[in-house]
Amino acid sequence: MTTDEKKTELEKIAQEIKTFKGLDIAKNATHAVPGEGNPDAEIMFIGEAPGYNEDQQGRPFVGQAGMLLEKILQEVLGLKREDVYITNIVKYRPPDNRDPFDAEIAACAGWLDRQIKIISPKIIVTLGRFSMVKFIPGVTISQIHGVARYYHELIIFPMYHPAAALRGTTMMNAFRDDFAKLKNLLAPQAKIEDNTPSQTSLF
Ligand code: URA
C-alpha cells in the first residue's frame, strides 16, 4: 500500500469510529479518539483509552502521560510523535477514567486490527496491561515489561503505561530503561523470542 492509500484507509476507519454510536462511551464522548501519526511508522504505540484531555481534543496521549511519552521518545530515540503512530485499545473515554469493559475493548478491536494491518509497523509497543493482554495473555506486566517477543509477524514490546511511570522514581526508571531497549530492537540484527501461539491467526 502506498502512503496515500494508507492515509485514505486510516481516515475511513477514523470516520467509522467518529460516527459509531453502539457504546455508551461513544454516545457520551466529546470527541472520539481514533489515533494519529505516521502511516508508515516503524513503531506503533497502543495505550488503554482516552482520558479527559484526549476526549476534549480528539487526539491520543495529549495529557501528562502523553507529554512524558513525547519527552522520552525524543530523548532516547530522537523521534517526534509525528514519526510514530499512537492509538489506544478503546477509542472513547470511559467515565471517570475507569478501566475499559471487555465489551468496549471487543467493540473497538476490529478498528485496531485494521489500523495495525494498514500501518504494518515493525514493532508494537503496548503501554499498560490492557493493550499487553491483547497479544500476550496470562502474564503480568511486571514480569514481562521490556522483553520483546514475536506474535505472528509482529514484534510486541510491552511497557508500563507512562501514567504509571509518573507515579514514582522506580517506575520512571523502568520506563526509561525499557525505552533504551526499544532502541536496540530497531537494529536489524535484534534477537527476539517467538511467542506465537500455534494454529491461530491474529486477524
Ligand atoms: N492514557 C491512555 O491510555 N491513552 C491516552 O490516549 C491517554 C492516556
Side-chain angles (χ1 to χ4, degrees):
M1 238 190 244
T2 64
T3 306
D4 281 347
E5 284 166 347
K6 286 182 172 192
K7 277 188 188 157
T8 306
E9 290 305 309
L10 290 169
E11 188 46 39
K12 269 190 213 162
I13 296 171
Q15 284 310 319
E16 288 176 32
I17 293 169
K18 287 177 192 171
T19 53
F20 179 73
K21 294 287 175 261
L23 290 170
D24 285 346
I25 55 170
K27 286 183 216 149
N28 296 332
T30 314
H31 294 104
V33 183
E36 66 181 27
N38 179 359
D40 294 316
E42 281 201 302
I43 309 177
M44 181 170 185
F45 288 90
I46 306 178
E48 180 178 319
Y52 174 82
N53 293 292
E54 291 77 22
D55 175 72
Q56 290 293 306
Q57 296 185 37
R59 301 179 59 208
F61 283 98
V62 290
Q64 277 208 327
M67 278 190 264
L68 176 65
L69 183 63
E70 268 186 50
K71 178 172 175 281
I72 300 201
L73 192 57
Q74 177 69 58
E75 279 177 18
V76 181
L77 298 182
L79 294 174
K80 299 200 178 311
R81 64 180 284 149
E82 308 84 72
D83 297 326
V84 299
Y85 197 87
I86 307 177
T87 190
N88 285 299
I89 281 275
V90 166
K91 312 300 191 188
Y92 314 94
R93 182 189 183 212
D96 303 319
N97 300 333
R98 64 156 168 75
D99 287 349
F101 296 148
D102 288 348
E104 293 165 346
I105 294 172
C108 295
W111 294 315
L112 179 60
D113 289 345
R114 283 160 63 199
Q115 287 172 321
I116 294 169
K117 219 172 176 178
I118 292 162
I119 293 157
S120 196
K122 179 168 181 195
I123 301 173
I124 289 186
V125 179
T126 59
L127 298 170
R129 84 190 147 94
F130 284 94
S131 49
M132 176 190 74
V133 299
K134 175 180 172 72
F135 306 101
I136 316 171
V139 292
T140 64
I141 196 162
S142 57
Q143 291 170 326
I144 63 145
H145 71 92
V147 180
R149 52 188 82 197
Y150 271 108
Y151 184 84
H152 298 274
E153 69 281 16
L154 301 167
I155 298 172
I156 309 297
F157 189 70
M159 286 185 55
Y160 284 117
H161 195 284
L166 287 167
R167 286 186 211 120
T169 316
T170 311
M171 294 295 263
M172 182 63 87
N173 290 340
F175 189 72
R176 255 184 192 283
D177 289 351
D178 288 350
F179 247 101
K181 292 179 197 156
L182 184 54
K183 187 173 186 173
N184 300 335
L185 273 187
L186 288 167
Q189 72 280 14
K191 191 171 169 293
I192 298 152
E193 183 188 329
D194 192 344
N195 192 51
T196 307
S198 56
Q199 306 297 317
T200 57
S201 157
L202 177 57
F203 299 111

